Amino acid sequence: MYNKTFRGGVHPDDGKSFARDIPFQTWLPKGDMVFHLNQHIGKPAKPVVQKGDQVLAGQLIAEADGFVSANIVSSCSGKVKAIEKRKNVLGTSDMSIVIENDGQYTLAEGIGTEVDYTTLTGPEILDKVKAAGIVGLGGAGFPTHVKLAPKNPNDIRFVIANGAECEPYICCDDQLMRNYADEIVGGLKIMLTLFPNAEGVILIEENKPEAIAAMEKACSGESNIRVHRVVPKYPQGGERAIMDVVAGKHIKLGMLPADVGCVVDNVATVRAIYRAVCKSEPLMERGFTVSGDAVKNPCNLIVKIGTGLEEMLEAAGGFKDGVEPEKLLCGGPMMGFAMSDLDAVVNKNNNALTILAKDPVAQAEEQQTACIRCGRCAHVCPLGLTPQMMAAAAEKKDYDRYENKLYGLECIACGSCTFVCPAKRPLMQLFKQTKSEIMAAKRKK
């Protein structure tokens, strides 16, 4: 067994006490459903329905348009109301399929059919995963059928189910492991059939004892699947930290986990693989946490993809009485996206709505000073970068130094440097903007 922790990292208040012990409830949406065509890394999906078409839950409504792309299925039954641009959680707009939900959730033919995965070949398993439209449900949204087809499958040594869930406030993966451990292990067993030389690893932080117990019980009879407990520390859920802890490997910019013999998927993704292969169920719903000190009844939900965020707040009872929240986040406070309103929907890779009474970013801006050269940012960076020097290069627009001397593009935007900075400098925001400008210049060339 390799290290139980990784270099650097921070220990923010995890905020999980709000929702960690709240069991899942299923929320059936009431309003129109909106399906963005690019809710995954890669090329947007291509619509296969038209305005006025009747659709069923589980029916394909947009197909993958290229190798790195993903199918999209409807999570409700109803009529296609429009194919038009709709607002996303980033505040921009995407082409989307809007379905008028009839509230019946009538399933398409074949959904729920039981299949014995041991009777399937590797290509047949991959076809089922692709048809289901599964992507990384931990936030990245990378098409799973692509991740499960590396160049050299015999070189894969670890297939890792990521249950770290280190982002503050979010608890849906914890609940998923507590309640669906058998299905997560089932998904891991399916994945292992694709990699004959691999061991299955379920990575969980030690602050989730109920999840650890459930997962250890579920894999107790498996010879090549084990639970790997790790020290709670942010950002343990990042792929690079996982490689370090589980495999003792370091991946550099441009490398994938497969390059060091690993395949990593979020536990929700692993469960979705099981549901797709063994239950003929495409990706229609996901776990979702609504939490924060401004939420009346923090909760964990099983929510249909395409549901409006306003309904997610409704499911949690709305805002606390007398509270006017200052911060709306899609995701958590470390890596989530700030929103001006809730006029957006749950995509495949969205796992939480966090609502805070006070805006910590605004408070930090009021206290911001010049860099005091304390070096704390470098101490906590999980990649060993020098944020202080990166910030100086970024502010001067010295992109060559930023990229080639300081390796700034290696930054994973975890926000650890910003969190510990006593000068309250918005380092992560600066680095994200700088990376965006560098990549835009590369594309222009």
Side-chain angles (χ1 to χ4, degrees):
M1 184 179 293
Y2 291 97
N3 297 330
K4 291 185 70 178
T5 189
F6 57 95
R7 183 200 185 282
V10 294
H11 295 87
D13 176 12
D14 67 15
K16 294 187 186 290
S17 60
F18 289 102
R20 74 176 300 273
D21 293 321
I22 307 299
F24 277 130
Q25 57 179 301
T26 298
W27 178 264
L28 294 179
K30 306 166 186 176
D32 291 344
M33 307 291 282
V34 178
F35 302 89
H36 296 307
L37 298 180
N38 66 340
Q39 52 184 298
H40 51 262
I41 288 175
K43 197 172 181 183
K46 181 170 59 177
V48 294
V49 293
Q50 297 178 343
K51 182 178 179 180
D53 287 353
Q54 291 289 143
V55 299
L56 300 173
Q59 178 180 329
L60 180 72
I61 57 175
E63 63 183 0
D65 189 18
F67 179 61
V68 182
S69 186
N71 289 346
I72 297 172
V73 301
S74 176
S75 59
C76 69
S77 52
K79 182 186 289 187
V80 178
K81 187 175 182 179
I83 300 177
E84 62 188 20
K85 285 192 173 184
R86 286 294 183 98
K87 189 176 176 181
N88 59 35
V89 297
L90 298 177
T92 57
S93 58
D94 299 316
M95 286 302 298
S96 309
I97 297 172
V98 183
I99 296 179
E100 186 178 351
N101 181 9
D102 64 13
Q104 301 301 308
Y105 302 98
T106 307
L107 292 173
E109 185 177 354
I111 305 295
T113 302
E114 301 269 351
V115 175
D116 179 358
Y117 78 90
T118 63
T119 65
L120 302 175
T121 64
E124 288 172 335
I125 289 173
L126 290 175
D127 285 345
K128 280 184 168 290
V129 171
K130 180 179 180 180
I134 300 173
V135 303
L137 299 180
F142 191 84
T144 303
H145 67 278
V146 180
K147 184 178 284 189
L148 295 181
K151 186 183 299 183
N152 299 307
N154 289 334
D155 292 342
I156 300 300
R157 294 292 180 265
F158 297 99
V159 176
I160 304 168
N162 178 8
E165 198 169 46
C166 60
E167 180 77 26
Y169 292 92
I170 304 176
C171 306
C172 52
D173 285 350
D174 186 357
Q175 283 294 322
L176 204 70
M177 290 185 285
R178 297 192 205 189
N179 292 281
Y180 299 103
D182 288 341
E183 294 190 354
I184 294 169
V185 170
L188 199 50
K189 289 167 69 175
I190 292 169
M191 295 167 73
L192 287 170
T193 65
L194 304 173
F195 308 107
N197 299 319
E199 173 189 13
V201 178
I202 304 160
L203 181 135
I204 313 176
E205 287 189 319
E206 290 175 336
N207 61 356
K208 302 174 181 64
E210 298 88 354
I212 289 173
M215 294 307 309
E216 286 183 337
K217 180 180 178 181
C219 66
S220 60
E222 304 298 330
S223 60
N224 65 337
I225 299 178
R226 62 178 170 87
V227 171
H228 189 115
R229 305 182 186 201
V230 291
V231 175
K233 185 167 62 168
Y234 178 88
Q236 178 59 77
E239 283 188 339
R240 296 186 180 203
I242 292 172
M243 298 300 96
D244 187 11
V245 169
V246 175
K249 302 288 187 180
H250 176 70
I251 56 175
K252 299 178 181 179
L253 184 67
M255 294 176 66
L256 299 172
D259 296 328
V260 293
C262 299
V263 169
V264 184
D265 268 311
N266 176 266
V267 288
T269 309
V270 176
R271 178 184 178 241
I273 291 171
Y274 170 82
R275 302 294 302 180
V277 175
C278 295
K279 303 293 183 182
S280 305
E281 182 182 292
L283 184 58
M284 295 184 286
E285 60 186 24
R286 63 154 303 134
F288 193 89
T289 297
V290 185
S291 189
D293 60 4
V295 175
K296 193 169 189 178
N297 301 307
C299 56
N300 295 298
L301 305 167
I302 297 295
V303 56
K304 303 288 185 184
I305 292 164
T307 303
L309 291 179
E310 289 183 351
E311 289 201 42
M312 298 296 88
L313 177 60
E314 180 185 345
F319 302 137
K320 280 184 178 177
D321 295 340
V323 175
E324 285 292 333
E326 294 182 1
K327 197 72 171 182
L328 305 175
L329 293 162
C330 181
M334 296 298 286
M335 296 187 76
F337 301 102
M339 300 179 292
S340 59
D341 55 50
L342 298 179
D343 183 20
V345 300
V346 177
N347 280 342
K348 296 177 184 180
N349 58 341
N350 300 141
N351 59 359
L353 174 63
T354 305
I355 303 176
L356 305 177
K358 298 296 181 181
D359 183 357
V361 174
Q363 292 175 334
E365 288 175 347
E366 293 176 358
Q367 304 171 42
Q368 185 177 337
T369 67
C371 174
I372 64 172
R373 301 182 181 275
C374 65
R376 294 182 190 179
C377 55
H379 180 71
V380 301
C381 178
L383 300 183
L385 302 176
T386 53
Q388 172 193 329
M389 299 174 72
M390 288 163 55
E395 288 168 348
K396 294 177 181 178
K397 304 290 185 182
D398 188 350
Y399 294 155
D400 179 66
R401 175 174 170 76
Y402 183 89
E403 177 182 359
N404 299 314
K405 299 292 177 60
L406 302 174
Y407 306 101
L409 295 187
E410 295 269 357
C411 173
I412 60 172
C414 68
S416 295
C417 54
T418 305
F419 177 77
V420 300
C421 179
K424 306 298 182 183
R425 305 184 74 209
L427 297 170
M428 182 185 73
Q429 294 89 332
L430 175 61
F431 299 154
K432 289 174 73 172
Q433 177 62 32
T434 301
K435 182 176 182 178
S436 175
E437 292 174 1
I438 291 174
M439 298 310 294
K442 288 179 180 290
R443 287 192 294 270
K444 189 175 182 180
K445 283 185 178 181

